[in-house]
Amino acid sequence: MTKITKLTDTYALNNGTKIPVVGFGTWQTPDGQVAYDSVLAALKAGYRHIDTAAAYGNEDSVGKAIADSGVDRKDLFVTTKLWNADHGYEAAKQALATSLDKLGLDYVDLYLIHWPNPAAMRDNWQQLNADTWRAMEEAYADRKARAIGVSNFRPKHLDALLETAKVVPAVNQIFLNPSDMEPEVVAYNEAHGILSEAYSPLGTGKIFGITELQTMAEKYDKSVAQVVLRWSLQHGFLPLPKSVHADRIQQNTEIFDFELSEDDMATVDGLRGVAGLANDPDTVNF
């Protein structure tokens, strides 16, 4: 693995597209001034990878911050996601057009299917995912998305998708942190050349009270968040930390001047369950 030394270093996706190794997450960031200010703060702090989704309801504000930032579009990596109500060929095409309009962009760098098996499509999820993916493959061919991928997919969902897919997903964005390393999913991703992207890399804030991580943070003279983000990078994951506080947004970029020891990595690996586990996409009620 190439040594990672700064925020704008990149991983190469399976189609050759370069993706910055840390992204700025916007899940649970309310639309309006809060989303606008936090994305602007992230871009000012040096982030060049911004992650949003139709379901987050903040694409308008994210797009406005991008436009007002002064950062050249070609230097940015922007991800959004297709929500559950928009599965199917025609619906997916329209959903991407709507997201692009809200973001004020001609293309996104990564477009993801947000969930593999929404509650309303349990009887026909395989076919609907296949139809959705066909629309996404067309968007990829038309350069409306530089890469396409999935989120919250388990191996069985990926197996079904790959039966008809012409393009292998570039990314699987999953709940991935010391509390749930999702080893089966990560192993599948690695075997198929799919990058494991970590949403909620800080366990939606629950990891901050874990004694082992507090002790480790003191040892390295870092914050708990910095330790956990460093752990994520050393595993080859791509973390998407989220914050609405400018000082923490900045702190979360300061993870390239230290390295966790093998023993400390193993300690963090052993924290399963301390901050909850990933939702089962086959049983969620949305």
Side-chain angles (χ1 to χ4, degrees), residues 74 84 109 119-120 125 137 149 159 164-165 188 198 207 235 238 264:
K74 68 179 176 57
N84 297 350
D109 299 275
W125 63 268
E137 288 177 332
D159 280 339
T164 57
Y188 187 105
I207 62 162
H235 271 299
L238 194 160
D264 287 337

Side-chain angles (χ1 to χ4, degrees), residues 96-207:
L96 176 56
T98 299
S99 285
L100 288 173
D101 184 59
K102 288 183 175 182
L103 288 163
L105 301 176
D106 297 326
Y107 67 93
V108 288
D109 299 275
L110 180 63
Y111 195 46
L112 306 178
I113 300 177
H114 207 145
W115 282 92
N117 191 4
M121 56 182 266
R122 295 262 150 86
D123 294 335
N124 195 29
W125 63 268
Q126 297 97 326
Q127 186 59 52
L128 282 167
N129 280 344
D131 294 343
T132 300
W133 194 249
R134 183 161 56 93
M136 292 174 68
E137 288 177 332
E138 288 184 11
Y140 173 56
D142 293 341
R143 300 185 179 181
K144 292 178 182 177
R146 294 177 63 224
I148 53 177
V150 297
S151 184
N152 298 293
F153 274 52
R154 301 282 173 87
K156 78 170 204 176
H157 306 119
L158 287 161
D159 280 339
L161 190 71
L162 291 173
E163 287 180 12
T164 57
K166 295 177 181 176
V167 176
V168 175
V171 164
N172 188 8
Q173 187 181 122
I174 56 177
F175 182 83
L176 189 55
N177 57 59
S179 188
D180 194 348
M181 294 180 67
E182 298 211 52
E184 183 185 7
V185 183
V186 169
Y188 187 105
N189 292 345
E190 289 178 354
H192 292 81
I194 301 169
L195 178 66
S196 295
E197 228 181 21
Y199 76 78
S200 296
L202 306 178
T204 61
K206 296 176 183 175
I207 62 162

Side-chain angles (χ1 to χ4, degrees), residues 193-227:
I194 301 169
L195 178 66
S196 295
E197 228 181 21
Y199 76 78
S200 296
L202 306 178
T204 61
K206 296 176 183 175
I207 62 162
F208 296 115
I210 307 306
T211 302
E212 293 91 336
L213 293 174
Q214 293 171 345
T215 301
M216 204 173 292
E218 290 178 13
K219 171 183 173 180
Y220 288 97
D221 193 24
K222 290 289 183 178
S223 70
V224 168
Q226 289 167 330
V227 165

